[in-house]
Amino acid sequence: SAVISQKPSRDICQRGTSLTIQCQVDSQVTMMFWYRQQPGQSLTLIATANQGSEATYESGFVIDKFPISRPNLTFSTLTVSNMSPEDSSIYLCSVGGLALIAGNEQFFGPGTRLTVL
Amino acid sequence: AQRVTQPEKLLSVFKGAPVELKCNYSYSGSPELFWYVQYSRQRLQLLLRHISRESIKGFTADLNKGETSFHLKKPFAQEEDSAMYYCAPPTGNQFYFGTGTSLTVIP
């Protein structure tokens, strides 16, 4: 398995500002993903963070709004830019494709609870 | 894209009653499917994977290729089973969770 941490765990931000969320894994992983989970809703994949190249974004999400970095195999950041109250959500980091894990499951971070006023 | 469907958003059962959370998949080939669970105030975690044919916390899930289903079952629900359950295909370039089913076990 993998131990995943996220910072911050929660934040309250003002409209128009930006927040960068960090995701750290204790082992090298092939795939890192960023999800959004709005209250009472399922997970929505924002993007796949690719090491050494631009992230791959899902429909409805764009790089200008959610820039992602993946400088190495254990770390990624997601920035929520020019925030509005509609961005209030839980943002989850997950990893998959662990070298030592035969299965194809994902492991999740604890999430970052964002509230935009 | 490999997609799964969970038709029930909410499900309530009484303690001790059987529970079945439905999941259907819509792609061909040999699917590899998973059930994830999210308990209140805890992170999302893997519950079980079909390939290992295991039973975790009394839950089992059988892949039915004829019905393209992977329903999660437990013969006797417990209060601690109350959680959000997600059916999901394996990690890949296109990875989409089911919409999730919120299970409430009534004491």
Side-chain angles (χ1 to χ4, degrees):
Chain A
S1 64
V3 177
I4 305 163
S5 60
Q6 284 184 236
K7 291 181 182 179
S9 59
R10 59 178 63 226
D11 208 342
I12 299 173
C13 302
Q14 295 296 320
R15 181 195 300 257
T17 62
S18 297
L19 176 72
T20 296
I21 303 168
Q22 298 179 5
C23 178
Q24 180 74 54
V25 190
D26 68 343
S27 55
Q28 293 186 338
V29 296
T30 305
M31 296 175 155
M32 295 182 79
F33 305 91
W34 287 99
Y35 289 86
R36 184 168 70 184
Q37 186 176 31
Q38 293 180 311
Q41 303 296 317
S42 180
L43 300 171
T44 301
L45 181 62
I46 297 172
T48 301
N50 303 310
Q51 196 269 331
S53 63
E54 274 195 6
T56 304
Y57 289 85
E58 296 300 306
S59 175
F61 298 96
V62 295
I63 188 171
D64 290 345
K65 176 67 176 177
F66 297 101
I68 288 171
S69 78
R70 176 102 191 261
N72 55 52
L73 292 175
T74 63
F75 186 78
S76 178
T77 67
L78 169 75
T79 299
V80 186
S81 303
N82 189 24
M83 289 183 284
S84 66
E86 292 71 35
D87 295 320
S88 297
S89 187
I90 296 173
Y91 291 84
L92 295 169
C93 169
S94 78
V95 303
L98 299 179
L100 298 180
I101 302 295
N104 279 310
E105 66 264 37
Q106 290 192 6
F107 298 89
F108 287 84
T112 296
R113 183 179 293 272
L114 171 62
T115 302
V116 184
L117 302 177
Chain B
Q2 298 175 332
R3 295 189 181 270
V4 294
T5 304
Q6 293 179 250
E8 303 148 326
K9 196 166 185 177
L10 301 170
L11 181 63
S12 295
V13 300
F14 285 100
K15 178 181 175 181
V19 60
E20 180 180 71
L21 294 93
K22 292 183 168 55
C23 172
N24 291 90
Y25 60 92
S26 59
Y27 52 95
S28 59
S30 298
E32 183 182 359
L33 291 164
F34 302 83
W35 277 99
Y36 290 81
V37 60
Q38 188 172 28
Y39 301 103
S40 177
R41 301 185 185 280
Q42 294 187 27
R43 69 179 69 188
L44 194 64
Q45 59 186 293
L46 179 70
L47 178 62
L48 58 81
R49 57 179 78 87
H50 98 272
I51 197 169
S52 59
R53 304 183 67 82
E54 56 201 343
S55 173
I56 303 294
K57 298 184 179 182
F59 283 98
T60 58
D62 291 321
L63 186 68
N64 186 320
K65 292 185 179 180
E67 296 179 358
T68 61
S69 68
F70 186 55
H71 303 328
L72 184 68
K73 301 177 184 179
K74 185 170 182 177
F76 308 103
Q78 303 298 314
E79 289 180 63
E80 56 266 28
D81 296 329
S82 295
M84 192 75 177
Y85 292 81
Y86 295 95
C87 181
T91 302
N93 290 328
Q94 291 175 305
F95 185 98
Y96 300 97
F97 275 83
T99 48
T101 299
S102 177
L103 173 66
T104 300
V105 180
I106 304 165

